[in-house]
Amino acid sequence: MKPLTFVNHAGGVGKTSLTRGVGAELASVGTQILLIDLDPQANLAGWLGIVGVQVQGTANPVAVEGADLPEPVG
Ligand SMILES: Nc1ncnc2c1ncn2[C@@H]1O[C@H](COP(=O)(O)OP(=O)(O)OP(=O)(O)O)[C@@H](O)[C@H]1O
Ligand SMILES: [Mg+2]
């Protein structure tokens, strides 16, 4: 497995769009892809059809409060 992380401190610079695009391109050539959305905005999840997730259902409480991982959805 090769983890890829797209990080930039600035907001709105295309991190999520690039993640979605790279994921789609790699999947289109047969690569098995797991996209992990750690942003409590959940834009990547939303763009992939997972809507209505509240912040308590994201990884945010895991990082901020040490909560257990949420149940997977989608
Ligand atoms: N290559 C591009 N050309 C033009 N617009 C783009 C491009 N990539 C992303 N955008 C647009 O820029 C906006 C911000 O993109 P995106 O949500 O991917 O950024 P982000 O870095 O993930 O933002 P945030 O910090 O809020 O998570 C979106 O409206 C997106 O459609
Ligand atoms: Mg984003």
Side-chain angles (χ1 to χ4, degrees):
M1 182 178 71
K2 294 181 181 177
L4 301 175
T5 306
F6 300 94
V7 180
N8 191 307
H9 183 65
V13 294
K15 301 179 293 292
T16 302
S17 301
L18 182 62
T19 301
R20 177 187 57 179
V22 169
E25 287 299 317
L26 289 173
S28 76
V29 296
T31 307
Q32 283 194 306
I33 288 291
L34 173 64
L35 296 174
I36 301 176
D37 191 354
L38 295 175
D39 189 332
Q41 290 183 114
N43 287 341
L44 179 61
W47 292 348
L48 297 175
I50 300 170
V51 295
V53 176
Q54 303 300 311
V55 69
Q56 289 302 320
T58 72
N60 184 260
V62 180
V64 175
E65 306 163 11
D68 292 337
L69 285 169
E71 288 296 314
V73 293

